[in-house]
């Protein structure tokens, strides 16, 4: 496979409790989902497709000259939606597929390429993701920030909302609001981008859920629980945050304007 032999799939659905019709929200004169496709198209991907269960999203993406797929409305996760999409596209099992969320209009194309490159360079890996170093104690102790611990070759040992790894002695009388992290503690925050081989996406549909996944509310733990490795690309700093709330949308609109003045 060449360094650009991968496909980007963007799962997008209208239902959002915190920001209704989020994929169609305007950012700089175009719908957010279209901005995501535009950013993903700057990566090395040979194709970018939106996978949706909503005709309005399908029509919007198509009207802007991009590819979209209609998928079922009963999927419980984005991974299941992507598994249907790889079937609709007829992708070979070895095809590398990158899952870019539909609420990431500022995603860096280089991040997509890095996650894809790890899969392309390690044929035994079924799945990859990314992380960045944690430098602030408050972030390590924040349950909304998902942490990942890596082994010596950059594969995930575990993902958690808890502060892991936990420095027993250093944290004995630690104040996250005041104290600095131990300089030699390898702490990383997970970044929510995933790469898969198409065949593994098909297999994922058959994997039984596990208590770890349900307890932490982290879908990727199902993969580790079943014994499949996840490669983790380490980047230097946090990517631009995505859009979950109206406040996030205004932040991203302002950031987009500042980048395109």
């Amino acid at each position: 496979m060449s360094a650009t032999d991968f496909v980007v799939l963007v799962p997008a659905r209208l239902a959002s409790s915190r920001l209704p019709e989020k994929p169609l929200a305007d950012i700089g004169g175009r719908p957010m989902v279209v901005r995501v496709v535009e950013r993903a198209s700057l990566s090395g991907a040979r194709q970018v497709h939106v996978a949706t269960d909503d005709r309005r999203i399908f029509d919007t993406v198509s009207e802007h000259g991009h590819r979209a797929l209609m998928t079922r409305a009963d999927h419980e996760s984005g991974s299941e939606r992507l598994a249907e999409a790889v079937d609709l596209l007829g992708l070979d099992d070895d095809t590398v597929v990158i899952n870019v969320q539909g609420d990431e209009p500022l995603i860096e194309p280089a991040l997509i390429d890095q996650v894809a490159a790890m899969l392309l360079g390690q044929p035994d890996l079924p799945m990859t993701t990314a992380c960045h170093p944690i430098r602030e104690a408050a972030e390590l102790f924040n349950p909304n920030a998902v942490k990942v611990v890596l082994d010596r070759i950059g594969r995930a040992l575990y993902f958690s909302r808890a502060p892991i790894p936990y420095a027993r002695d250093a944290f004995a009388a630690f104040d996250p609001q005041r104290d600095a992290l131990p300089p030699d503690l390898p702490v990383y925050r997970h970044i929510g981008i995933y790469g898969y081989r198409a065949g593994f996406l098909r297999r994922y549909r058959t994997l039984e859920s596990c208590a770890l996944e349900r307890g932490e509310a982290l879908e990727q733990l199902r993969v580790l629980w079943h014994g499949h490795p996840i490669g983790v690309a380490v980047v230097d700093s946090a990517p631009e945050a995505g859009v979950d709330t109206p406040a996030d949308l205004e932040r991203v609109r302002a950031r987009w304007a500042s980048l395109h003045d």
Side-chain angles (χ1 to χ4, degrees):
M1 294 184 185
S2 73
T4 59
D5 192 13
F6 66 94
V7 173
V8 169
L9 295 179
V10 181
R13 51 197 297 268
L14 277 185
S16 173
S17 58
R18 289 184 288 181
L19 187 58
E21 301 191 355
K22 180 169 63 172
L24 301 180
D26 181 87
I27 296 178
R30 293 185 186 175
M32 176 161 36
V33 66
V34 173
R35 292 300 188 192
V36 174
V37 173
E38 290 172 345
R39 295 294 291 171
S41 297
L42 296 175
S43 73
R46 58 181 167 86
Q47 296 177 24
V48 179
H49 298 264
V50 173
T52 184
D53 61 1
D54 189 275
R55 178 58 62 175
R56 289 175 62 192
I57 294 176
F58 179 93
D59 290 343
T60 295
V61 172
S62 300
E63 288 164 3
H64 283 83
H66 303 293
R67 301 181 179 96
L69 300 166
M70 282 298 299
T71 57
R72 300 197 319 268
D74 59 349
H75 292 302
E76 295 183 359
S77 69
S79 299
E80 292 181 3
R81 189 175 309 283
L82 296 194
E84 182 187 358
V86 301
D87 286 344
L88 291 172
L89 290 170
L91 299 181
D92 293 339
D93 281 350
D94 289 336
T95 302
V96 169
V97 176
I98 306 301
N99 176 0
V100 174
Q101 297 300 317
D103 56 7
E104 300 278 354
L106 298 176
I107 190 168
E108 286 294 335
L111 175 62
I112 300 172
D113 289 338
Q114 192 166 347
V115 172
M118 179 171 273
L119 267 179
L120 291 165
Q122 300 184 48
D124 62 319
L125 275 177
M127 180 174 172
T128 53
T129 186
C131 71
H132 67 83
I134 293 175
R135 298 182 173 88
E136 300 295 332
E139 186 173 22
L140 177 63
F141 286 83
N142 178 0
N144 293 317
V146 177
K147 276 68 66 174
V148 59
V149 175
L150 309 180
D151 69 9
R152 65 180 180 85
I153 59 172
R155 299 187 178 185
L157 290 171
Y158 191 66
F159 297 85
S160 182
R161 298 182 183 280
I164 58 170
Y166 192 87
R168 184 193 65 178
D169 295 337
F171 290 163
F174 192 81
D175 181 352
Q177 303 302 320
R178 182 195 66 212
D179 298 331
L181 289 170
D184 59 345
L185 190 66
V187 286
Y188 298 99
R189 180 171 181 170
H190 178 231
I191 299 170
I193 181 174
Y194 296 98
Y196 310 85
R197 299 194 190 281
F200 185 70
L201 268 173
R202 294 183 173 105
R203 183 173 182 181
Y204 180 87
R205 291 180 294 196
T206 71
L207 297 181
E208 178 188 359
S209 177
C210 66
L212 293 175
E213 171 193 4
R214 295 189 297 271
E216 295 258 21
L218 297 175
E219 183 182 346
Q220 64 270 32
L221 289 175
R222 183 186 311 186
V223 176
L224 296 182
W225 190 78
H226 283 276
H228 301 289
I230 301 176
V232 185
V234 180
V235 300
D236 291 336
S237 57
E240 295 277 359
V243 177
D244 288 320
T245 66
D248 292 337
L249 180 59
E250 293 310 311
R251 170 183 49 78
V252 167
R253 283 171 170 165
R255 179 64 173 153
W256 184 274
S258 71
L259 292 172
H260 296 85
D261 280 344

